């Protein structure tokens, strides 16, 4: 049989776009552990969760058994504005690396927010609107999630209050301005507008803030304002569910050309893009239908998987959010200010944590200078300026392809290119100036975070 020529870009037809999300938990034997009430340490009930999150999202959060969930028509229509996203064969990178491996990437940066986060933002905003709410609150670190949510809320005419980590608020004025252009109300965190924020400012005057603190502020406002709920851009089961569109599209595109991936690689912050990218492949692996080498890549400065503990922990520094059982560095862990802002969360998705603990995937970490080097190498041959977060996956894919060059293996490698780096040029500037620093926490530093993990006997 003549081998089919694989194009540079494989696009699905609109009509071929997945009409359902896939919930990997349905195929897991060991289900992720339930979220706990931080006061009683008992599993959170639907009623308790509904005070924080929209009703339908609570259903999705707690659903461990339904494998396929319909994508509502309104969300599907919104997806059509910027999806299907291309599956790209990285011919130029392969040529540069002189590897027999075949490298593919799924590019999620083709929308104004510049990342995959819009896939879940529109879903969460839609369910809030459907419930008749006035608005939603959230936090944002580097700004991608806040931007995506602002876009989704603007489309649905929903109020959007974003608490942006003060460091980023000051360092990334352009991100902030995109959010405001889409009508969001953006507040630097910690702020005087919440109790958590005021306490924080009193204890640490002049602090640049943290993601954990911004989460606490957003939750406080949501739970104390009539008609508002809180939404989160990663970590939660519901977010992974929405992001499964990435993996489902990638698989559908690959199937058109009979491509079978051997290795699937994604960067991991809270785990949502990785969870979404690997979802259908992990499903096959869990059901024993196929095998894949699944790789999570994280920064060496915030190594939740590679050096963290699998334990119940708070999702926020204010310790008002539910406890999740996950790979964590401890909610008191303060990551250094490295540039991959979206990968700075202290914990990891409970679902991915369980899958990792059960041996269904592996993890590796890289320091900052390595990932910028990979980013520049990629940008020069493939044309796209990648986000530093995405560049963790690029680096791991390049390393795997170089390993194949040594062994002669013709592996099919898929990685997630989660976004573009136009708002990360300060990081690129430091890299170009040669002033970038590689920070790796010591065991002693990590121990301090572990010592403060809550004591939970479950
Ligand atoms: C937020 C973000 C990430 C990391 O978040 P996950 O939930 O782990 O996917 C990765 N890449 C980009 C471009 C991001 O904006």
């Amino acid at each position: 049989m003549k081998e089919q020529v694989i194009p540079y870009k494989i696009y699905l037809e609109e009509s071929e776009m997945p009409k359902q999300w896939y919930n990997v938990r349905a195929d897991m034997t060991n289900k992720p552990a339930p979220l706990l009430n931080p006061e009683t340490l008992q599993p959170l009930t639907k009623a308790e969760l509904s005070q924080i999150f929209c009703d339908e999202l609570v259903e999705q959060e707690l659903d461990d058994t339904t494998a396929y969930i319909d994508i509502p028509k309104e969300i599907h229509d919104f997806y059509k504005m910027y999806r299907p996203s291309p599956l790209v064969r990285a011919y130029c990178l392969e040529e540069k690396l002189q590897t027999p491996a075949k490298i593919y990437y799924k590019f999620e940066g083709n929308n104004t927010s510049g990342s995959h986060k819009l896939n879940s933002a529109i879903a969460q905003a839609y369910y809030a609107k459907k419930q008749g709410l006035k608005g939603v609150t959230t936090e944002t670190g580097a700004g991608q999630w806040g931007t995506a949510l602002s876009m989704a809320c603007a489309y649905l005419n929903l109020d959007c209050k974003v608490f942006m980590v003060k460091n980023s608020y000051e360092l990334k004025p352009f991100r902030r301005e995109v959010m405001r252009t889409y009508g969001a109300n953006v507040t630097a965190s910690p702020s005087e507008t919440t109790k958590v924020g005021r306490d924080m400012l009193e204890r640490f005057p002049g602090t640049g803030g943290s993601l954990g603190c911004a989460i606490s502020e957003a939750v406080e406002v949501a739970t104390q304002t009539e008609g508002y709920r809180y939404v989160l851009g990663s970590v939660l089961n519901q977010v992974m569910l929405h992001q499964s569109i990435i993996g489902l599209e990638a698989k559908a595109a690959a199937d058109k050309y009979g491509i079978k991936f051997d290795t699937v690689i994604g960067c991991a912050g809270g785990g949502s893009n990785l969870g979404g990218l690997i979802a259908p492949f992990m499903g096959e692996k869990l059901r024993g239908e196929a095998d894949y080498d699944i790789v999570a890549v994280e920064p060496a400065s915030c190594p939740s998987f590679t050096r963290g503990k699998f334990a119940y922990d708070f999702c926020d520094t204010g310790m008002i959010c539910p406890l999740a059982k996950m790979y964590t560095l401890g909610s008191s862990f303060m990551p250094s200010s490295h540039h991959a802002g979206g990968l700075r969360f202290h914990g990891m998705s409970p679902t991915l944590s369980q899958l990792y603990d059960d041996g269904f995937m592996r993890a590796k970490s890289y320091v900052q200078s390595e990932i910028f080097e990979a980013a520049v190498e990629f940008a020069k041959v493939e044309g796209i300026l990648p986000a530093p977060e995405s560049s963790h996956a690029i680096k791991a894919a390049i390393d795997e392809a170089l390993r194949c060059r040594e062994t002669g293996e013709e592996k099919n490698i898929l990685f997630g290119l989660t976004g573009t780096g136009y708002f990360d040029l300060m990081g690129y500037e430091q890299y170009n100036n040669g002033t970038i620093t590689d920070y790796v926490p010591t065991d002693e530093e990590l121990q301090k975070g572990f010592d403060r993990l809550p004591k939970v006997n479950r």
Side-chain angles (χ1 to χ4, degrees):
M1 208 177 85
K2 196 163 150 276
E3 210 178 310
Q4 213 172 355
V5 177
I6 294 167
Y8 274 67
K9 289 199 183 72
I10 308 177
Y11 280 104
L12 294 174
E13 300 292 330
E14 255 172 33
S15 59
E16 294 170 316
M17 278 171 65
K19 299 214 163 45
Q20 294 177 312
W21 291 302
Y22 167 63
N23 177 9
V24 74
R25 284 168 289 154
D27 286 311
M28 289 169 67
T29 311
N30 295 335
K31 306 289 184 192
L35 296 172
L36 303 185
N37 179 313
E39 277 154 34
T40 65
L41 300 185
Q42 293 303 307
L44 276 168
T45 61
K46 210 185 264 189
E48 287 172 317
L49 279 167
S50 298
Q51 290 166 14
I52 310 175
F53 302 112
C54 308
D55 296 347
E56 205 143 337
L57 292 167
V58 171
E59 299 279 342
Q60 293 180 355
E61 192 61 31
L62 296 175
D63 189 339
D64 280 349
T65 51
T66 313
Y68 288 93
I69 294 176
D70 287 343
I71 302 174
K73 181 178 177 305
E74 292 83 348
I75 299 175
H76 203 262
D77 285 346
F78 184 89
Y79 279 167
K80 283 185 205 159
M81 283 197 285
Y82 67 101
R83 313 199 66 83
S85 73
L87 176 68
V88 186
R89 170 80 183 269
Y91 278 114
C92 304
L93 182 62
E94 288 171 18
E95 174 70 24
K96 165 93 194 295
L97 299 174
Q98 289 291 304
T99 175
K102 297 169 181 69
I103 309 174
Y104 296 85
Y105 58 90
K106 181 76 170 153
F107 180 47
E108 291 293 316
N110 253 334
N111 68 78
T112 295
S113 73
S115 81
H116 65 283
K117 293 201 171 67
L118 195 55
N119 301 331
S120 184
I122 187 60
Q124 298 196 43
Y126 167 78
Y127 291 118
K129 185 78 183 178
K130 195 173 159 215
Q131 195 174 324
L133 299 175
K134 287 195 203 107
V136 290
T137 72
T138 199
E139 75 294 329
T140 198
Q144 287 100 323
W145 168 244
T147 314
L149 190 68
S150 308
M151 289 173 67
C153 287
Y155 180 76
L156 294 167
N157 203 8
L158 203 61
D159 186 42
C160 179
K161 296 188 196 304
V162 181
F163 286 89
M164 184 169 188
V165 178
K166 194 190 253 161
N167 263 336
S168 313
Y169 184 91
E170 286 162 1
L171 284 174
K172 298 196 164 182
F174 299 130
R175 274 263 176 226
R176 183 183 77 210
E177 237 28 65
V178 181
M179 288 186 251
R180 292 185 55 216
T181 303
Y182 277 97
N185 179 305
V186 188
T187 308
S189 166
S191 76
E192 295 284 349
T193 65
T194 65
K195 183 175 176 307
V196 183
R198 286 189 296 273
D199 286 354
M200 194 60 92
L201 287 171
E202 203 174 82
R203 273 172 48 213
F204 306 100
T207 172
S210 71
L211 208 50
C213 174
I215 297 178
S216 303
E217 289 201 87
V219 171
E220 183 182 318
V221 171
T223 50
Q224 293 180 9
T225 317
E226 179 72 27
Y228 281 76
R229 290 293 185 283
Y230 168 70
V231 294
L232 179 62
S234 185
V235 185
L236 297 174
N237 294 329
Q238 54 186 276
V239 185
M240 259 183 72
L241 174 74
H242 308 146
Q243 296 297 356
S244 68
I245 186 84
I246 305 172
L248 292 166
E249 276 185 11
K251 181 152 188 338
D255 285 349
K256 279 180 112 172
Y257 288 87
I259 301 158
K260 197 200 152 294
F261 299 119
D262 299 291
T263 307
V264 186
I265 300 169
C267 63
S272 75
N273 87 82
L274 176 69
L277 177 71
I278 67 175
F281 308 107
M282 183 61 87
E284 288 185 349
K285 188 163 175 165
L286 289 167
R287 296 188 301 271
E289 296 164 7
D291 197 16
Y292 298 94
D293 178 25
I294 298 177
V295 190
V297 194
E298 58 187 13
S301 56
C302 193
S304 329
F305 265 148
T306 49
R307 294 173 71 199
K309 294 250 185 296
F310 191 32
Y312 265 108
D313 192 13
F314 293 97
C315 293
D316 62 331
T317 19
M319 301 185 182
I320 59 171
C321 283
L323 278 83
K325 188 175 179 194
M326 57 188 174
Y327 272 82
T328 180
L329 299 168
S331 63
S332 61
F333 178 78
M334 280 285 172
S336 73
S337 62
H338 68 76
H339 296 285
L343 304 182
R344 295 183 59 197
F345 189 59
H346 63 272
M348 188 58 70
S349 139
T351 301
L352 289 186
S353 293
Q354 187 64 52
L355 289 166
Y356 178 69
D357 204 60
D358 287 341
F360 288 104
M361 53 191 277
R362 61 189 176 99
K364 53 196 310 187
S365 70
Y366 291 107
V367 293
Q368 196 164 236
S369 55
E370 292 175 304
I371 69 103
F372 273 101
E373 193 184 341
V376 171
E377 185 170 18
F378 178 84
K380 284 180 178 168
V381 291
E382 290 289 322
I384 298 170
L385 183 76
E389 292 91 340
S390 324
S391 305
H392 287 72
I394 296 175
K395 171 66 179 159
I398 290 178
D399 279 2
E400 182 64 13
L402 290 176
R403 201 187 59 72
C404 288
R405 187 171 74 188
E406 299 304 311
T407 61
E409 286 166 279
E410 294 184 17
K411 283 200 164 170
N412 286 323
I413 301 168
L414 168 66
F415 73 87
L417 187 66
T418 50
T420 46
Y422 301 118
F423 290 102
D424 302 290
L425 289 167
M426 282 174 52
Y428 278 96
E429 181 185 29
Q430 288 190 6
Y431 177 75
N432 294 333
N433 289 343
T435 54
I436 209 151
T437 50
D438 290 333
Y439 173 75
V440 181
T442 62
D443 288 342
E444 291 70 38
E445 282 170 297
L446 291 185
Q447 192 56 45
K448 282 189 203 140
F450 300 145
D451 288 343
R452 295 181 60 186
L453 283 171
K455 306 274 173 287
V456 181
N457 278 329
R458 291 183 74 94

